[in-house]
Amino acid sequence: MKKRLPSLMLALAMTFTLVACASSTPNQPNGDQSGGGSVSPSIPSQEQAAFPVTLTDAAGRTVTIQAKPERLISGYYITTSMLIALGQQDKLVGIEAKADTRPIYSLAAAGLLELPNVGTAKAFDLEGCAALQPDLIILPLKLKDNVPALEELGLTVLLVNPESLEQLNSTISLLGNVTDAKERAQALLDYNQKTLDFLTKTLNGVQYPTVYLAGNSSYLSTAGAKMYQNTLLELGGGQNVASGLEDTYWADISYEQLLSWNPEVIIIASGASYTKDEILQDPQLSQLAAVQNGQVYAMPSELESWDSPVPSALVGSRWIAAVLHEDLYRFETFQADAEQFYRDFYQVNVSTELLSK
């Protein structure tokens, strides 16, 4: 039985097109405004980009940026990576904790590793953040409870929620406008649209193998339909065996559940604490089709976590497509495409060894 291109891909294609056109459509909201208690930010048009700029952030707050910000704080690795791709890394004066765990920082913007950190979502350093005297603080929606205290200090805060491809695109447009990096933002949006068009055309009508995505902390944890990782698999031409799970975070499963799913392919999430050999050599998994056929692959982790909605998210879906459908998209072609992406948006040359499977 052949699995046709899911409606998700067509819906995302429409979303990408709408966001890409937002720069010429005044006050046009973008993306999904109903998920997770968040709204997609409103994007000012190019004609509106002269400061001050007023917009709506992911929490539905009206935020006015009085002047082009020259001192930025990013409290979220996704927006930090995004600011690098937009060429704004030199304006960052503080970033999220654990920067040394993000390889792309050392490759593309090594100076970020020397910046003060403002903590994590669980332990945000409000005083340290304020002491850096930023013009603009960009925080994930989960840190919204810190906004009143920051605003009492006269600081401007923008909340973002790039937890899906739609919201990622909206955030790219948003940051491109508030940092006056509209051309680079549009180039990234164009890349996303081009990739989505390519995957849609290449995978149309092909048979999708069943895939199990093993979590990075344990290969007995996985992602259901409500997580971004499900989109990653579907865009790359895989059928997620765990799509019936309703969890909004990694779900723990049993050996029995995995055996009953019996996936044709196992893909290990980026930065896993175990190796694919551990899966292949686990006697309790010896009857899995993926194990018997040697179809176990580990996502690269030496650049970025492609299994999250970072700016290179669609590079991750290209990787999935090249692994699952190499007859249609040769892995060597994927590697060349990925190398070009990192040259264009991060100004770094990456070796093919970092783009393995």
Side-chain angles (χ1 to χ4, degrees), residues 149-160:
L150 291 167
E151 288 187 328
E152 286 182 7
L153 297 172
L155 300 171
T156 302
V157 184
L158 194 65
L159 292 171
V160 299

Side-chain angles (χ1 to χ4, degrees), residues 7-23:
S7 58
L8 168 66
M9 296 184 78
L10 298 178
L12 283 174
M14 294 177 65
T15 301
F16 278 125
T17 301
L18 288 171
V19 174
C21 293
S23 60

Side-chain angles (χ1 to χ4, degrees), residues 3-11 200 203-204 208 234-235 237-238:
K3 176 175 172 60
R4 292 285 177 179
L5 188 73
S7 58
L8 168 66
M9 296 184 78
L10 298 178
T200 300
L203 302 176
N204 186 31
Y208 280 25
E234 288 193 347
L235 290 181

Side-chain angles (χ1 to χ4, degrees), residues 9-90:
M9 296 184 78
L10 298 178
L12 283 174
M14 294 177 65
T15 301
F16 278 125
T17 301
L18 288 171
V19 174
C21 293
S23 60
S24 59
T25 307
N27 300 318
Q28 177 67 42
N30 297 276
D32 180 6
Q33 299 189 34
S34 60
S38 166
V39 297
S40 294
S42 62
I43 310 300
S45 71
Q46 290 187 17
E47 290 78 7
Q48 295 173 310
F51 293 90
V53 172
T54 299
L55 47 88
T56 304
D57 74 1
R61 300 166 54 248
T62 298
V63 180
T64 298
I65 313 296
Q66 294 291 346
K68 181 178 177 180
E70 299 296 335
R71 294 176 61 83
L72 302 172
I73 285 178
S74 170
Y76 193 22
Y77 76 94
I78 288 178
T79 51
T80 302
S81 184
M82 193 179 297
L83 289 167
I84 298 173
L86 296 178
Q88 304 301 302
Q89 62 267 29
D90 290 343

